[in-house]
Amino acid sequence: MPIPKLATLIGGLLLSKGGRRMAGRHAGKLALATLAFQLWEQRQAGKHPERPQAGKAHPRQRWSGRRV
């Protein structure tokens, strides 16, 4: 299982002294934001299970504004 981008970001934040201080003050908010983001990602993946991988998708047609 790959490491989520958010976990990498928070891990990098904890490497600096100021980052650790900020994370200590806002630990609950960071935990809640991480949980909410993971839940959102799961729901997005559930909505479009047949969605092609990034980079392989066909570009969308631009909508001209005309109604047919």
Side-chain angles (χ1 to χ4, degrees), residues 62-68:
R62 287 186 60 150
W63 184 58
S64 66
R66 286 181 49 193
R67 294 188 184 197
V68 180

Side-chain angles (χ1 to χ4, degrees), residues 5-52:
K5 293 177 187 174
L6 193 58
T8 307
L9 179 71
I10 293 173
L13 181 70
L14 295 176
L15 289 175
S16 68
K17 186 176 182 181
R20 284 192 304 272
R21 190 176 352 184
M22 194 280 297
R25 266 187 269 145
H26 303 287
K29 293 175 196 168
L30 284 171
L32 189 60
T34 303
L35 182 64
F37 179 71
Q38 288 176 347
L39 183 63
W40 177 81
E41 273 188 331
Q42 287 175 359
R43 288 187 180 212
Q44 292 300 315
K47 282 183 184 176
H48 307 287
E50 72 281 347
R51 188 179 252 180

